[in-house]
Amino acid sequence: MSDQIREKRIGIVGVIIIAIFLTLVSRLYYLQIANGEEFSQVASANQLRVVQTEAPRGRILDANGVVLVDNRISRSIVVDRLELNNEKTKTKVIGQLSIVLGVDRTEIEKRIADLKISQYKPVPVAIDVDIDKIQYIKEHQEDFPGVDAVPLPIRRYPEGNVAPHVLGYVGEINDDELKTRKGNYQLGETIGKSGVELAYEENLRGTPSVSTVQVDKNGSVLKTVNYEPPIPGDDLILSIDVNVQKTAEESLSGQIEQTRKQQDKNDKEKFTTFNAPSGSVTLLDPNTGQVKAMASYPPSD
């Protein structure tokens, strides 16, 4: 009786072992043969990352071709976060940058930790840096791993603060804009916030460059697999004449200041002047209906 029980137990164990073996074989077949190509593609995709970099924005000109807004190159300091591979190195580099640049270390830390910027793109921590500070960092590169000086384009206004409410301004895209704005935008990129910069964002923005990079298991970039260069944004010509615009702004502000000095004769008990808190003027070409000047006082975005 005991021998029969022993044989049954051995038979059961054998069946279990065979079942486990068949399960492993079928799983191996599923992974390597039936879906081998699919998993190979997924593994390959996991090694690739796409990095997008903004194109230079288009210029804004007046009716006579005078440049009102364009781009200038700013000497900037950037940090490659992937090279700050441990907390000790990171703390040391941030401390040294704070001293050299004269920037509070908390501001540098905040910028480096900004998730709006892809980890595969260098993070700008300072713009318009003095050349002597850049030279110092270059000469002591061993003390600044992951730190580099690069030229970055930023908006420039050759005619000064002319028609700011018309031209508008740019800034980093926020979460709400990212959800509603059409186009391939990413956090940290620049977008028109008001005025012409906002109204003609699609024309001024251009097409960003796209780099496909291969990374290792730690996220470090091994090589660039593909690169699509940027296409600069289109130039935009306004109907505004900058000379007429300047004259309108000067005349408006002068008239308001003069009005503020005049006595309000409706107040007979004491000497008071007109408030004249603000004003605006729009000048049109009577032949075409085009706007030649739009001035407001006080100036606003």
Side-chain angles (χ1 to χ4, degrees):
M1 187 70 176
S2 59
D3 291 340
Q4 292 179 349
I5 294 174
R6 188 180 301 108
E7 289 177 0
K8 286 183 179 180
R9 289 179 177 176
I10 293 173
I12 292 172
V13 171
V15 170
I16 294 174
I17 293 174
I18 293 173
I20 293 175
F21 178 76
L22 291 176
T23 300
L24 292 174
V25 170
S26 63
R27 184 60 178 171
L28 186 62
Y29 173 82
Y30 172 78
L31 292 176
Q32 293 191 349
I33 301 177
N35 289 283
E37 183 178 353
E38 177 183 349
F39 285 111
S40 177
Q41 292 175 354
V42 171
S44 177
N46 287 338
Q47 297 176 358
L48 301 178
R49 298 291 183 272
V50 177
V51 182
Q52 181 170 295
T53 303
E54 296 174 84
R57 287 180 73 85
R59 302 178 302 168
I60 302 176
L61 302 86
D62 85 337
N64 301 310
V66 177
V67 178
L68 303 178
V69 186
D70 64 2
N71 305 299
R72 69 176 178 86
I73 298 301
S74 168
R75 293 190 300 266
S76 304
I77 295 297
V78 298
V79 175
D80 185 348
R81 288 173 289 195
L82 294 177
E83 293 196 33
L84 303 182
N85 47 24
N86 61 68
E87 198 62 32
K88 183 178 179 181
T89 301
K90 181 178 177 181
T91 301
K92 180 181 177 182
V93 170
I94 291 176
Q96 293 178 147
L97 278 177
S98 176
I99 295 173
V100 173
L101 300 176
V103 179
D104 192 285
R105 66 174 299 129
T106 57
E107 289 298 319
I108 299 177
E109 290 172 346
K110 181 179 178 182
R111 192 63 179 168
I112 291 177
D114 191 351
L115 297 178
K116 295 178 181 178
I117 302 176
S118 169
Q119 64 174 320
Y120 303 106
K121 292 171 59 177
V123 182
V125 296
I127 62 172
D128 292 335
V129 180
D130 293 339
I131 189 65
D132 58 330
K133 296 179 179 179
I134 292 178
Q135 289 176 342
Y136 179 85
I137 292 174
K138 289 289 189 181
E139 292 170 357
H140 300 80
Q141 194 65 58
E142 68 279 1
D143 296 326
F144 297 92
V147 179
D148 197 6
V150 299
L152 293 178
I154 62 176
R155 278 318 220 183
R156 184 177 74 101
Y157 304 89
E159 295 297 317
N161 191 34
V162 176
H165 61 296
V166 176
L167 300 177
Y169 69 99
V170 296
E172 283 190 12
I173 191 170
N174 58 41
D175 292 333
D176 292 335
E177 291 168 332
L178 194 63
K179 293 176 183 177
T180 58
R181 172 63 67 171
K182 295 180 180 179
N184 188 22
Y185 286 87
Q186 295 182 353
L187 284 173
E189 292 187 345
T190 299
I191 190 173
K193 295 287 186 176
S194 69
V196 171
E197 294 277 20
L198 172 59
Y200 292 91
E201 166 66 18
E202 294 182 4
N203 305 89
L204 293 168
R205 181 182 183 232
T207 303
S209 69
V210 178
S211 298
T212 303
V213 297
Q214 185 178 20
V215 299
D216 61 17
K217 63 180 181 179
N218 298 317
S220 299
V221 177
L222 300 176
K223 64 178 181 179
T224 299
V225 177
N226 185 51
Y227 175 72
E228 299 176 13
I231 301 175
D234 296 328
D235 288 348
L236 186 65
I237 300 177
L238 306 179
S239 63
I240 285 178
D241 185 317
V242 68
N243 293 321
V244 177
Q245 178 70 30
K246 289 180 178 179
T247 300
E249 291 179 359
E250 293 170 0
S251 300
L252 178 60
S253 61
Q255 185 61 50
I256 288 180
E257 291 297 331
Q258 183 178 346
T259 302
R260 289 175 178 176
K261 297 176 183 178
Q262 293 179 357
Q263 180 183 4
D264 184 356
K265 295 184 179 180
N266 292 324
D267 187 352
K268 299 180 180 180
E269 296 183 0
K270 55 183 178 179
F271 185 88
T272 59
T273 58
F274 291 105
N275 288 327
S278 61
S280 63
V281 60
T282 300
L283 299 177
L284 304 178
D285 185 328
N287 297 315
T288 63
Q290 291 183 334
V291 177
K292 307 308 292 184
M294 293 178 66
S296 67
Y297 188 89
S300 59
D301 296 335

